[in-house]
């Protein structure tokens, strides 16, 4: 499945709230979370983004993300968010989306793990309303660039695979009918045109028949 288009101006955003770290004072944690959520909401509102939902980081997260189909995911986590990221990665493995992580965790290991998981922007101690839009803009730009590179890599691999199939099919025709490479190619091309099929599909069928007959 192709990644979702994130070029539209009104992005649908889901915010994932990470669980409070063990040993944290509940009242202080709640107050801090309220401040962070308020700053985030103001930043999204002022930027014109569509906040679809705020979701808890629980076992139902992948299912909820799959249902909502957001264009971008923001993870708000004061501490280590690796467990939450695993849920998000599972939910986005079939359709990649930009992921922005706001956190207070400045440990290099956490940052490396987040970027390895596919996070587009890892922002430490930067959850202020005025910073939301520039952070998302950079994350989106990076995501689109990475996606272009992935698409180009996939296209190159596909062309190489098709080239191998064509070369093998041509080699079989050259050996069996004593043809030149150009003659073998023209025979494949004519067959593809007559059958209204792609050249590589005709070549693959020829290979499959040859393998079947030994």
């Amino acid at each position: 499945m192709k990644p979702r288009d994130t070029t539209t101006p009104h992005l649908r955003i889901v915010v994932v709230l990470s669980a409070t770290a063990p040993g944290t004072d509940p009242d202080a944690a709640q107050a801090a979370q309220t401040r962070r959520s308020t700053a985030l909401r103001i930043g999204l509102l002022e930027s014109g983004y569509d906040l679809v939902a705020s979701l808890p980081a629980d076992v139902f997260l992948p299912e909820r993300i799959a249902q909502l189909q957001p264009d971008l995911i923001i993870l708000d986590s004061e501490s280590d968010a690796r467990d939450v990221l695993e849920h998000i990665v599972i939910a986005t493995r079939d359709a990649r989306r930009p992921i922005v992580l706001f956190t207070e965790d400045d440990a290099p290991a956490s940052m490396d793990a987040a970027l390895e998981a596919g996070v587009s922007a890892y922002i430490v101690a930067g959850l202020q309303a005025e910073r939301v839009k520039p952070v998302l803009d950079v994350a989106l730009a990076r995501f689109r660039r990475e996606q272009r590179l992935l698409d180009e890599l996939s296209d190159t691999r596909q062309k190489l695979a098709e080239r191998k199939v064509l070369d093998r099919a041509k080699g079989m025709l050259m050996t069996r009918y004593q043809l030149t490479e150009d003659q073998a190619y023209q025979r494949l091309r004519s067959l593809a045109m007559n059958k209204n099929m792609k050249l590589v599909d005709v070549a693959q069928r020829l290979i499959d028949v040859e393998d079947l007959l030994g």
Side-chain angles (χ1 to χ4, degrees):
M1 183 181 296
K2 292 183 179 181
R4 293 178 58 81
D5 180 14
T6 58
T7 60
T8 55
H10 301 293
L11 296 180
R12 302 177 70 254
I13 295 176
V14 160
V15 174
V16 178
L17 304 176
S18 182
T20 302
T24 304
D25 177 45
D27 293 335
Q30 182 60 46
Q33 183 63 67
T34 299
R35 289 194 299 270
R36 294 168 63 86
S37 297
T38 300
L40 185 54
R41 286 178 178 274
I42 292 174
L44 292 174
L45 180 63
E46 292 179 344
S47 304
Y49 294 128
D50 181 13
L51 178 57
V52 178
S54 294
L55 304 177
D58 55 24
V59 294
F60 302 106
L61 182 60
E63 180 181 348
R64 288 168 177 162
I65 290 178
Q67 291 173 344
L68 294 170
Q69 292 292 298
D71 299 305
L72 182 144
I73 298 172
I74 296 177
L75 174 55
D76 181 11
S77 174
E78 289 196 39
S79 57
D80 191 344
R82 276 177 282 192
D83 291 341
V84 183
L85 281 172
E86 289 180 4
H87 291 304
I88 295 178
V89 169
I90 291 173
T92 60
R93 61 187 173 190
D94 293 329
R96 294 184 69 245
R97 295 174 176 85
I99 302 171
V100 176
L101 172 57
F102 288 99
T103 183
E104 301 298 325
D105 182 6
D106 60 357
S110 298
M111 184 179 300
D112 290 343
L115 295 176
E116 183 68 23
V119 168
S120 302
Y122 189 100
I123 311 302
V124 178
L127 187 44
Q128 292 90 36
E130 63 274 12
R131 292 197 62 192
V132 171
K133 186 179 189 304
V135 166
L136 297 191
D137 287 344
V138 171
L140 287 167
R142 178 181 179 184
F143 176 81
R144 291 167 185 154
R145 179 178 179 275
E146 290 179 347
Q147 194 57 51
R148 283 196 299 270
L149 293 175
L150 288 174
D151 290 343
E152 291 172 2
L153 178 60
S154 177
D155 185 59
T156 299
R157 287 175 174 172
Q158 179 68 24
K159 289 180 179 178
L160 287 174
E162 292 180 355
R163 179 64 180 270
K164 290 180 179 180
V165 171
L166 288 174
D167 286 347
R168 184 181 174 191
K170 285 189 298 183
M172 290 165 51
L173 291 176
M174 291 166 65
T175 300
R176 174 167 294 188
Y177 299 106
Q178 300 300 307
L179 302 176
T180 64
E181 182 177 358
D182 185 63
Q183 289 173 333
Y185 174 79
Q186 291 302 327
R187 182 168 294 192
L188 285 172
R189 186 169 180 271
S190 296
L191 185 57
M193 294 177 62
N194 292 336
K195 297 292 185 180
N196 194 26
M197 296 173 59
K198 292 182 179 180
L199 186 62
V200 67
D201 291 338
V202 170
Q204 186 61 59
R205 284 196 178 186
L206 180 63
I207 293 172
D208 291 343
V209 171
E210 182 74 11
D211 290 342
L212 180 63
L213 298 178

